[in-house]
Amino acid sequence: MPQKQRLLLIDGYAVAYRAYHAMPPLTTPDGEPSNAVFGFANMLLKAIADLEPTHVVAAFDVGKTFRHEEYEAYKATRAETPDDLRVQFDRIKDLVRIFGVPIYEKQGFEADDVLGTLTKQAEEEGIDSIILTGDSDTFQLISDRVHVFYPQGRNAVPIVMDIKAVEDRYGLSPAQLIDLKALVGDSSDNIPGVSGIGPKTATPLLQKYGDIDGIYAHLDEITQKRAHTALENGRETADFSRHLITIVRDIDDIKLDMKTAFWGDYDRTAVVDFMRKMGFSSLVERVPGRKEEGETQLALFGQDAIAAASSSVDVAPASVSADCVYAVIDTKEALVALVERLRAAGFFAFDTETDGTDAMRAHLVGISVSDKEHEGFYIPIGHRTGESARQLSLDQICTMLGPVLADAAVLKTAHNAKYDMTILQRHGMPVAGIEFDTMIAAWLADPSERLGLKALALSRLGVEMTPITDLIGKGKGQVTIDVLPIDRVAMYASADADMTLRLMGLLHKELEGKGQIPLLRDMEMPLLPVLMSMEMHGMVVDIKYLADMSTELEKRLGEITSSIYEYTGHPFNLNSPKQLGEVLFDELGLPVVRRTRTGYSTDAAVLDELIGKHPIVELILEFRQLDKLKSTYVDALPGLVNPQTGRVHTWLSQTGTTTGRLSSRDPNLQNIPVRSDLGRLVRGAFVAPEGCMLLGCDYSQVELRILAHISQDPELLGAFHRDEDVHASTAAAVLGIPLNEVTKEQRSLAKAINFGLMYGMQEYGLSARTNLSVEEARQFIAAYFARFGKVRDYLDGTIVFAREHGYVETLMGRRRYFPELREDSHANGRIKRESERAAINMPIQGSAADIIKIAMIRLQKRLQDAGVKAAMVLQVHDELILEVPDEELDTVRDMVVETMMGAYKLDIPLKVEVAIARNWMEMK
């Protein structure tokens, strides 16, 4: 039975506007604004997936309409279209055309009129239609055969509006919405309506009398004097407003052609290429029509696989490419042949398949390797697919493959190599000779790029790979990869190794062109095993300490909750922004600071402004702080302790930031709050084992020292050379007072500007951080730059460099790209200002990150060469933390300080502060 026809109509500009305002600022790899295009594509794909239309068309506005000619003030109050949205309209039309969707438009009419005409024709042909729009004006078109797919708010799921939905929301039929708006008016379109008539008056009248004509036919029955007078005086305006509001449904020359509207008749390769060029790789797997895994079969196993691949026999092509040879190695003889081949090649890519994502707990399921592009081999080890599945034992793999993995002379590449190296080392196969990590290389080439292997294969190679969810599923139905058939996993895993090898050649050439190879070779790759060692070592956590702290926090949270309820007189959900907003602003009458689309804002910035207005505000802030601390750390950390090691093993990511700083996750140990007493108490749970101490070595004011070095400002350099308190010295210089007369408040002010300027802070930011007015902050900054002129030169010069080159770089040549700052960029002012602040900070913060990385690499070697048991366990921005046996403390402390101070030669010396304690909290 043929599928019933269903027509989806896209309200082009309405969806574009909705997408633009719903999405954060985004740019393409070339710096072109793209948030509206991305949001449009996202909404279109969701509508396709949810509604399953058989046909799709789009309607767009084209300039002035008959409404503008008849009413000069029509839409006159609307703000100008932002420049960064205007330049995206052509891209949106390109997207629509690439999807094979016909575009309908008519000079003198709005898209709504085009939609009205098309839906009427569809109704006459017995075709159901649904309009994708962000404009509620189209609700008047709703009928038994016409519905509207309408998004609710910024992040809400779109709903299908039908006749019942309209009646439930407005108490009126769809057709009556025309009369409602004609009476009430519409400020967004500048429709006048009847002065003095609001929805509370108009709705009951329409419910009783049907429409405007009915209301005026019974005008003498309306006894409310104000409403009667308003209607009596506004008849002409009501009729004219109704004329403007009513969607035209019979435009000449607009003819629905269902043949050209058939959905699915498009070149998917062209769509994917468009998405790739726009940087929308996350949307690609949602584009209908992708070739599914399993359409080709893996036929070669064992020794035959090696022979076939070596002779480039074209069998068992994988779904990622028609010329790939992927095979399974499941016999001892085949593995021996593969190892000989890898040794002869001297270089190969590898990847692991596991039953989980935690590198310290996951079990090895299989290993894939590739030493030649378009070829790959999968070695199954831990599949649980029945006795009939032939695979090799872990002992066999360790004995035969282990030596080549451990041979530094046989070079290797991987994607996110640290994960695979950890897995293999835990299973008895340490890896050496890692020369290239494609994830790190792609990050160096562009720190803002999506770094997943699938995303990179698409963006760099134009190859669409099978997502892991196609194998293991999603949500409750998700399985682990070890329960899947070997041949299915082999296709997927072999492609991973193959794509890694292909990406390596491309990325190596790109990094050469950008002068980034030394950074990869001398810093990031040598750091990789250092971080792996730190992660595998882990940190000891005092579980009882956390349990006691949880009890105390629970008690205090209960006390706070009771106190809040005393003020409100009733309980409510403290974690509900809606309920909290009602309590604060409706019940307690506090001044409304900011509204959202769904009600009152109660975020931290709002509550900060309300401090002092009512005692409940401080209690709510304390409740939020303690509740987050308890759930994020105190209660969560015990569950993250590895049962085999008894330690917590954070994951230290090299690619988690755009500045080069390391980031920490699972758990994030860098974000434990340290400015509050309770936050510092959480650090008390991290302890040294018996017979050891924690040693903390922290660079002192390293970013200011780098600023002095880069800017060559004589005042700043002089303060460091004299080993003065640089913040007090800054205050003295700016205020023109002796150093010994600087007060604590003056020093704090100087500190705020010293650090703030490195983040591009302006007078408004300084005012927000201090007690200064905006004007006082402006004057202070002016005085600062009058004394520290070279710092101003650096800040201005950095912006000029970014505009000319599209990037900035650290002392070591690490780059961050800002295409949106180029002179020919159409990015809006807010994006450019944010990017300018980031560009100012990146060379400083990035250089600090590079310096401590150099120190870590050198320190690891010194510790190993010295044969000590001390080990680095954590890095928190400018600080290194080591676990050191008591008897090694003096030796290791001197070794760490010396290594950190000598990591990089600035024009002023690096300085390191040392702390030693039994737990992390006591180190401060």
Side-chain angles (χ1 to χ4, degrees):
M1 178 181 245
Q3 183 181 357
K4 184 179 179 181
Q5 291 183 325
R6 176 182 294 172
L7 174 65
L8 173 67
L9 304 102
I10 306 165
D11 187 354
Y13 285 139
V15 174
Y17 271 95
R18 172 72 68 164
Y20 174 81
H21 290 291
M23 296 297 299
L26 298 172
T27 58
T28 68
D30 295 328
E32 179 184 328
S34 63
N35 60 329
V37 190
F38 181 89
F40 188 101
N42 184 51
M43 292 170 69
L44 172 59
L45 290 172
K46 177 167 181 56
I48 296 295
D50 290 357
L51 306 175
E52 299 181 343
T54 58
H55 298 75
V56 183
V57 300
F60 284 87
D61 298 311
V62 281
K64 299 288 185 181
T65 70
F66 73 89
R67 295 178 179 87
H68 293 90
E69 294 177 1
E70 295 178 10
Y71 181 47
E72 188 176 346
Y74 184 63
K75 294 188 177 181
T77 55
R78 287 196 175 183
E80 285 289 321
T81 302
D83 289 341
D84 62 324
L85 170 58
R86 192 186 309 278
V87 299
Q88 297 185 63
F89 287 142
D90 285 344
R91 286 293 193 191
I92 288 171
K93 285 190 173 182
D94 289 343
L95 172 69
V96 171
R97 293 189 184 100
I98 289 171
F99 265 118
V101 174
I103 292 176
Y104 288 83
E105 50 194 14
K106 176 70 175 178
Q107 189 69 41
F109 293 89
E110 295 182 53
D112 285 354
D113 302 318
V114 176
L115 294 170
T117 301
L118 292 171
T119 53
K120 182 181 179 183
Q121 293 174 15
E123 284 183 286
E124 291 170 351
E125 295 183 33
I127 299 169
D128 291 338
S129 57
I130 185 162
I131 301 169
L132 171 63
T133 183
D135 184 359
S136 61
D137 288 348
T138 55
F139 288 180
Q140 64 180 270
L141 300 175
I142 291 174
S143 68
D144 288 334
R145 286 199 174 275
V146 180
H147 297 159
V148 173
F149 196 54
Y150 185 75
Q152 304 178 97
R154 180 181 290 268
N155 298 314
V157 176
I159 60 170
V160 176
M161 295 292 294
D162 55 13
I163 294 175
K164 183 177 184 305
V166 170
E167 290 174 344
D168 289 345
R169 176 178 290 195
Y170 298 100
L172 300 169
S173 70
Q176 287 177 304
L177 296 182
I178 301 172
D179 299 83
L180 175 66
K181 192 168 286 189
L183 291 170
V184 174
D186 182 358
S187 59
S188 66
D189 288 345
N190 204 30
I191 302 295
V194 176
S195 179
I197 299 295
K200 290 184 179 179
T201 300
T203 300
L205 292 176
L206 290 170
Q207 290 171 338
K208 185 174 183 179
Y209 299 116
D211 57 18
I212 286 176
D213 294 334
I215 290 172
Y216 279 101
H218 299 84
L219 186 62
D220 56 357
E221 297 177 13
I222 300 174
T223 57
Q224 186 183 10
K225 185 176 181 181
R226 183 177 177 183
H228 186 283
T229 301
L231 289 165
E232 189 174 40
N233 295 334
R235 177 64 194 259
E236 185 176 339
T237 306
D239 287 340
F240 183 60
S241 295
R242 178 168 57 178
H243 167 68
L244 293 175
I245 290 162
T246 302
I247 293 175
V248 177
R249 306 199 69 183
D250 56 359
I251 303 175
D252 293 337
D253 303 328
I254 295 293
K255 303 297 179 185
L256 176 62
D257 183 350
M258 292 294 282
K259 290 182 179 179
T260 62
F262 181 76
W263 171 253
D265 188 16
Y266 58 87
D267 181 350
R268 190 174 186 281
T269 301
V271 174
V272 171
D273 189 55
F274 176 88
M275 298 288 194
R276 180 173 64 86
K277 290 178 180 176
M278 293 294 293
F280 300 164
S281 57
S282 62
L283 297 179
V284 167
E285 66 181 71
R286 293 170 53 194
V287 177
R290 178 169 50 80
K291 190 175 182 181
E292 297 294 334
E293 181 83 69
E295 293 180 10
T296 57
Q297 298 297 315
L298 195 73
L300 295 180
F301 292 80
Q303 186 67 31
D304 291 339
I306 296 289
S310 299
S311 59
S312 298
V313 175
D314 186 16
V315 292
S319 60
V320 294
S321 176
D323 61 350
C324 297
V325 179
Y326 296 158
V328 175
I329 304 299
D330 61 354
T331 67
K332 180 179 178 181
E333 294 74 20
L335 182 57
V336 169
L338 177 61
V339 169
E340 289 177 355
R341 171 173 167 155
L342 296 178
R343 282 199 178 279
F347 185 89
F348 65 91
F350 72 97
D351 186 45
T352 61
E353 299 302 329
T354 62
D355 61 1
T357 57
D358 185 339
M360 286 299 294
R361 302 194 192 200
H363 297 96
L364 182 62
V365 177
I367 302 171
S368 59
V369 297
S370 174
D371 64 347
K372 184 179 179 182
E373 292 186 7
H374 302 281
E375 295 183 7
F377 303 93
Y378 180 65
I379 309 166
I381 302 168
H383 285 261
R384 297 185 292 119
T385 52
E387 293 181 3
S388 60
R390 190 170 68 180
Q391 51 189 327
L392 296 165
S393 70
L394 180 59
D395 286 343
Q396 287 176 307
I397 303 299
C398 289
T399 300
M400 290 184 278
L401 185 64
V404 77
L405 289 171
D407 190 345
V410 180
L411 303 179
K412 304 162 189 78
T413 185
H415 189 84
N416 192 15
K418 182 152 61 70
Y419 178 87
D420 300 303
M421 291 167 65
T422 303
I423 291 291
L424 291 169
Q425 181 147 322
R426 284 183 48 241
H427 287 80
M429 289 177 281
V431 181
I434 296 285
E435 185 181 58
F436 204 93
D437 185 318
T438 49
M439 184 173 75
I440 295 173
W443 171 69
L444 285 176
D446 184 357
S448 64
E449 186 166 14
R450 295 181 73 241
L451 300 174
L453 181 62
K454 311 305 188 278
L456 288 173
L458 179 65
S459 64
R460 300 306 183 101
L461 302 171
V463 175
E464 186 183 355
M465 298 180 68
T466 300
I468 185 65
T469 50
D470 277 16
L471 271 70
I472 64 175
K474 299 179 181 178
K476 293 181 179 179
Q478 190 175 87
V479 299
T480 51
I481 207 163
D482 55 318
V483 303
L484 299 178
I486 289 173
D487 57 348
R488 245 190 114 191
V489 176
M491 298 277 280
Y492 175 88
S494 298
D496 281 355
D498 176 21
M499 292 302 155
T500 299
L501 192 67
R502 294 195 220 178
L503 282 168
M504 193 216 72
L506 184 150
L507 288 168
H508 192 281
K509 184 179 294 186
E510 183 173 342
L511 291 181
E512 275 187 326
K514 293 180 174 181
Q516 303 284 288
I517 289 294
L519 200 61
L520 177 73
R521 181 191 62 225
D522 302 332
M523 183 181 296
E524 297 299 343
M525 293 311 297
L527 182 67
L528 194 152
V530 177
L531 297 180
M532 186 183 80
S533 176
M534 293 168 66
E535 292 166 355
M536 295 189 73
H537 192 280
M539 294 186 76
V540 178
V541 173
D542 187 334
I543 302 297
K544 184 179 183 306
Y545 176 97
L546 288 171
D548 293 342
M549 189 175 179
S550 180
T551 300
E552 290 298 316
L553 287 174
E554 188 68 34
K555 179 182 176 183
R556 177 57 186 154
L557 285 168
E559 293 170 351
I560 295 170
T561 302
S562 298
S563 298
I564 290 173
Y565 291 168
E566 287 180 12
Y567 285 116
T568 60
H570 64 85
F572 67 98
N573 183 357
L574 283 167
N575 290 312
S576 166
K578 183 176 184 297
Q579 293 184 33
L580 179 59
E582 291 169 352
V583 165
L584 293 178
F585 305 113
D586 293 338
E587 297 180 20
L588 298 180
L590 296 182
V592 176
V593 177
R594 186 169 65 253
R595 293 180 182 271
T596 67
R597 292 172 183 257
T598 56
Y600 303 112
S601 173
T602 59
D603 63 19
V606 167
L607 294 180
D608 283 342
E609 287 196 38
L610 294 175
I611 289 176
K613 305 289 186 186
H614 194 288
I616 198 174
V617 175
E618 285 86 346
L619 289 170
I620 292 166
L621 284 168
E622 184 182 0
F623 178 89
R624 284 184 175 178
Q625 179 194 28
L626 300 189
D627 188 56
K628 183 177 180 180
L629 198 66
K630 184 174 184 293
S631 61
T632 304
Y633 293 106
V634 178
D635 291 346
L637 280 170
L640 295 173
V641 173
N642 189 301
Q644 294 181 327
T645 66
R647 291 171 176 252
V648 165
H649 301 269
T650 188
W651 179 264
L652 295 169
S653 174
Q654 289 168 264
T655 61
T657 69
T658 54
T659 61
R661 269 188 171 184
L662 298 177
S663 61
S664 163
R665 62 177 172 83
D666 302 327
N668 185 345
L669 300 185
Q670 294 180 338
N671 273 11
I672 297 175
V674 294
R675 294 184 179 179
S676 68
D677 292 338
L678 280 169
R680 284 189 289 272
L681 281 173
V682 173
R683 288 189 167 193
F686 292 87
V687 301
E690 190 66 31
C692 292
M693 297 289 279
L694 293 181
L695 169 67
C697 297
D698 193 353
Y699 277 121
S700 174
Q701 299 174 337
V702 63
E703 292 187 3
L704 275 175
R705 292 171 188 269
I706 291 168
L707 175 61
H709 174 86
I710 294 176
S711 70
Q712 287 295 295
D713 186 89
E715 288 278 0
L716 210 49
L717 288 168
F720 281 118
H721 280 304
R722 294 187 297 270
D723 199 23
E724 294 173 350
D725 178 334
V726 72
H727 301 310
S729 180
T730 299
V734 171
L735 299 172
I737 60 177
L739 183 61
N740 60 4
E741 293 182 11
V742 173
T743 66
K744 183 178 180 181
E745 291 74 19
Q746 290 168 335
R747 182 188 182 278
S748 295
L749 182 59
K751 182 177 180 179
I753 196 168
N754 272 333
F755 285 116
L757 289 174
M758 290 188 291
Y759 290 87
M761 182 183 66
Q762 303 296 321
E763 56 266 23
Y764 293 99
L766 180 60
S767 175
R769 294 187 183 192
T770 63
N771 293 323
L772 298 178
S773 67
V774 173
E775 181 56 34
E776 289 170 334
R778 184 180 293 113
Q779 293 174 1
F780 193 89
I781 291 175
Y784 177 93
F785 285 131
R787 196 63 184 262
F788 297 90
K790 289 288 188 179
V791 174
R792 164 58 79 187
D793 292 344
Y794 160 73
L795 301 178
D796 293 343
T798 300
I799 298 303
V800 170
F801 185 92
R803 288 172 180 166
E804 291 178 353
H805 297 85
Y807 68 86
V808 294
E809 59 185 7
T810 67
L811 292 170
M812 293 75 170
R814 182 187 305 279
R815 292 181 182 179
R816 181 178 175 184
Y817 292 87
F818 295 94
E820 63 274 17
L821 291 181
R822 286 187 175 275
E823 297 295 343
D824 58 352
S825 168
H826 293 284
N828 66 32
R830 180 166 64 90
I831 293 176
K832 288 188 174 182
R833 287 191 297 272
E834 291 175 355
S835 295
E836 285 177 353
R837 288 193 287 270
I840 287 170
N841 174 250
M842 191 275 169
I844 300 170
Q845 189 178 103
S847 293
D850 289 343
I851 288 172
I852 199 167
K853 286 180 177 180
I854 293 170
M856 293 169 71
I857 294 166
R858 293 179 182 176
L859 180 59
Q860 180 80 344
K861 186 175 187 309
R862 290 192 66 178
L863 292 172
Q864 291 173 347
D865 291 346
V868 296
K869 295 180 181 179
M872 284 184 281
V873 294
L874 189 61
Q875 187 253 45
V876 182
H877 306 321
D878 303 327
E879 179 183 19
L880 285 179
I881 299 173
L882 292 87
E883 183 180 289
V884 186
D886 294 341
E887 64 274 13
E888 296 178 358
L889 266 174
D890 291 340
T891 301
V892 171
R893 177 189 57 215
D894 294 343
M895 187 185 300
V896 177
V897 172
E898 181 182 314
T899 304
M900 290 178 69
M901 289 182 64
Y904 192 85
K905 184 173 177 55
L906 298 174
D907 288 341
I908 44 178
L910 289 167
K911 188 175 181 180
V912 177
E913 296 176 346
V914 176
I916 299 171
R918 290 289 179 190
N919 66 62
W920 192 7
M921 176 186 66
E922 293 172 357
M923 290 168 60
K924 291 293 183 184

